[in-house]
Structure formats: structure tokens, C-alpha cells
Amino acid sequence: MFNHNEKSIPTLTPESKVLSILKQPVLSVVNDHLIAYPVPSNLNYFWGFGSLAGLSLVIQIATGVFLACHYTPDVNLAFSSVEHIMRDVQGGFLLRYAHANGASMFFIVTFAHMLRSLYYGSYQAPREAVWVIGIVILFLMIATAFMGYSLPFGQQSLWGISVITSLFSVVPFVGNELVMWLWGGFSVNNATLNRFFSLHYLLPFLIAAASVVHIAALHHKGSNNPLGINASSDKINFYPYLVYKDRVGLLIFLIVFSGLVMFAPNMLAHPDNNIPANSLVTPLSIVPEWYFLIVYCILRSIPNKTGGVLAIALVFVALLLLPFIATSPLRSSNFRPLHRKAFYLFVSACCILSWAGSKPVEQPYIFIGQAATVYFFIYFFVLVPALGRLEYDLLSRNVTNR
């Protein structure tokens, strides 16, 4: 017989079962940040570069770990170990080319991610912390890429290490000692390569940790949107809407990345780095990887060595200060015609710096690089604060006249 004193067990529907599972501690984090995370409904495809940067980081860590299993950080064996990976390790050429071209793809999507933030004003309040953490990630990426570029120990690797590390000699009083400390001796040697290999292996995990903080800061304040206005009342779940939109960018990313790895693996690399390092032979031109060319052109545009190093430091200072010197109450450049023109000129200046940085250190490339460098800094320190006030004044006058 049925006992009325016993409590009946409620039946769970499939939907309630799913909800109860998602409330578990670990899965609730995934649900809150990757599934049910509310995002503005008008986000366009440019907002997918952030997730592509995360995918690039995963590719770099995964391929780097496997490459480290076969690499030998020794000045006499490093180049041979890379050739061993390419020729003798099964699938080694795919690992090496995926890692090398993956770095280029990482910088491509990161630069696009930054330019999107500049255009739509995503660096402005209340997302200052998101932007600052992103610049820290960019600095770690540059350091990691530089150390990784040195590991094959070809001609460009050796002379790239020598040139870049020698820049620390401009530090007052301890510059020369600092350079020797970086080298681990009086010249680039085994200690240098071992240190760079260790740091190159460690820094990607620091980038991953900083990326988690970057995402947490973003989710704390919420995403910006193309209109640059508060969209708290018009939001949708990240999954499935934004995930399906991000798949378009993912498909394009995989097509370009696969094309580079399979059909043009050395297109973005310097041919001199396929020559074993020789300290007795100076290359005709020492050219860094393409993603370093902007800062490299700025460095060589300043005749004085100390001034060039200070100019590089000023690049990161400008990026870090950007949220605090911006004055426009409007975020999106869609509603800022003057800033939109200045932004396109800024993008053009960056392209010119990359092009001039790949050319010999002679006229007219020196002058072109100097002109682009001047505009680069004018954009951050003059146009961004000045145009914000000017456009606001013009807008106020139009509203008053109406």
C-alpha cells in the first residue's frame, strides 16, 4: 500500500537535468563564461579575433612542447637539432612549420584585435584594465617571439641576439654589465641559448595566465559593441549565437594557416636563418621577423642609440596611457569622422613602418620611416586627446543650434 508519510521523489525533466549538471562548481564556470555569458546582440565579426588569439596560443603551446622534446639548446648542436626535427622526426616538419607560422598568425590576429579596439574605443572606461592587461600580454608575446627566433641559431638568430641585447648597454651605469648578464659571458654562447630556451618555454604559460586575467576583467565589465553605447538591456547568450559567428573567422583562420604551413612555410621567414650561425660573417642586412618591423623601424629612425631605445619604450608607454588620455565621450569611430580619418592614417603609418623597416638603412627609407614614426606618436599623444575634445565641441554646437 502507498505510504502517505513517505516523501515522493520529484521527476526531473531533461532540461532540469542539464541545468542541475551545469550548476556543478567546475561546469558552472564554463557555463557562466562560455555558454550563458551575456554579450551585446550587435557584435560583428571583428569581435572574433580575441578567440582566434586564444586558439593561436593553444597551438603555440602544444607544438612548442613537442618541439622541445627534440631540441638541443647548444650553440654547436641547435641548428642540427632543428634539421633533425625537420628530417628525421616523424611529422617533425609539420610541428616546426606550424610553430613558426603559428607565431605569425598569433601576431596577425592580435594586431587585428588591437586595431578593432582602437577603432571602436574598447580601451575607454570602464575597460581600462582590460586594455592594460592586453598590452602586458603583447609585451610578453614580443619577448617570447624574440627568444624563439633565436633558438634555431641561424645567421639571423645570432646577429639578432647580438643587436637586440646590446641595446641594454644604454642603461646608465650598469648597461655593459647587464648585457653580459643577459649573455651569460662576454659574447653570445651556450649560457645565452640555454637562458633563452628556458624563458621561451616558460613565458607562454605566463601569457596563458595573463589571458585568463584579461578575460576575467572583460567579463567583469562586459563587452563593448560597435555602437559604443551601454547595451545592458539588449544581450544574448554567447552560445550558440556568437559561437556560430566565430566559426566563420575560425574557418578563414584555418584556411590561411593551413595554406602557409603546407604550401608556403618559409614565406614569412628570412632565408639567411637557414644558414648555420657564424660569428665571423656579418649578414648583408639584419632584418627581424615581420612582426618586429614596426618597432625596429622606429628604433633605427632615431640617429642616437639611446634615443632609439627610449622611442621603443615610448611606444609601450603610449599604449598603456591610451585609456587615460582619451577624452572623447563617444567610443565608436563610426560616429567620429575626424578620428576615423586619423585612425586610417595611423594604420597606414604602421604599414609604412613595416615596409620601411624591411628595407636597407639608406635614403629614402630612413626619411620615410622617420615621417611615419612622427605620425605614430602624434596619433597617440596629440590626435587622440585633441580630437576627442574637438568632436565633442562640434557635436555640442550642432545640438545647441537645433
Side-chain angles (χ1 to χ4, degrees), residues 3-62:
N3 187 356
H4 292 281
N5 294 327
E6 293 181 359
K7 295 181 179 179
S8 60
I9 300 175
T11 57
L12 296 177
T13 62
E15 292 79 5
S16 59
K17 289 181 180 180
V18 172
L19 290 174
S20 63
I21 292 173
L22 290 177
K23 291 181 180 178
Q24 299 301 317
V26 176
L27 293 179
S28 64
V29 175
V30 177
N31 179 65
D32 293 342
H33 292 277
L34 295 178
I35 298 176
Y37 171 66
V39 294
S41 61
N42 61 338
L43 294 187
N44 57 37
Y45 290 101
F46 290 111
W47 261 259
F49 286 112
S51 59
L52 291 179
L55 174 63
S56 300
L57 178 60
V58 172
I59 292 173
Q60 290 305 97
I61 292 177

Side-chain angles (χ1 to χ4, degrees), residues 218-383:
L218 172 65
H219 287 192
H220 176 65
K221 295 298 182 181
S223 299
N224 187 29
N225 62 87
L227 296 179
I229 60 176
N230 186 6
S232 58
S233 61
D234 186 19
K235 291 191 175 183
I236 56 178
N237 288 342
F238 182 80
Y239 178 85
Y241 302 105
L242 264 294
V243 171
Y244 276 77
K245 181 171 286 188
D246 286 349
R247 291 199 306 180
V248 176
L250 175 62
L251 179 62
I252 297 173
F253 174 89
L254 292 177
I255 291 174
V256 175
F257 182 50
S258 301
L260 284 174
V261 173
M262 298 295 183
F263 301 105
N266 293 308
M267 184 178 72
L268 300 176
H270 198 287
D272 281 0
N273 221 32
N274 292 320
I275 303 173
N278 186 349
S279 59
L280 301 178
V281 178
T282 305
L284 294 177
S285 62
I286 301 174
V287 181
E289 292 283 78
W290 70 267
Y291 36 79
F292 296 138
L293 289 175
I294 293 178
V295 292
Y296 174 69
C297 189
I298 292 175
L299 169 68
R300 75 181 203 181
S301 295
I302 311 298
N304 181 268
K305 181 178 180 180
T306 303
V309 175
L310 291 176
I312 293 178
L314 192 60
V315 170
F316 291 96
V317 170
L319 291 171
L320 290 171
L321 290 179
L322 184 61
F324 310 102
I325 61 178
T327 58
S328 175
L330 300 174
R331 293 192 183 96
S332 178
S333 293
N334 287 335
F335 309 107
R336 302 178 59 192
L338 297 179
H339 178 265
R340 185 164 61 246
K341 295 180 176 61
F343 171 80
Y344 289 140
L345 287 175
F346 171 76
V347 175
S348 301
C350 291
C351 295
I352 290 172
L353 285 170
S354 296
W355 171 75
S358 64
K359 299 299 181 180
V361 188
E362 59 186 28
Q363 297 294 352
Y365 307 116
I366 296 176
F367 174 76
I368 294 173
Q370 290 173 339
T373 298
V374 170
Y375 183 80
F376 184 93
F377 289 113
I378 286 177
Y379 173 79
F380 285 107
F381 292 111
V382 178
L383 295 180

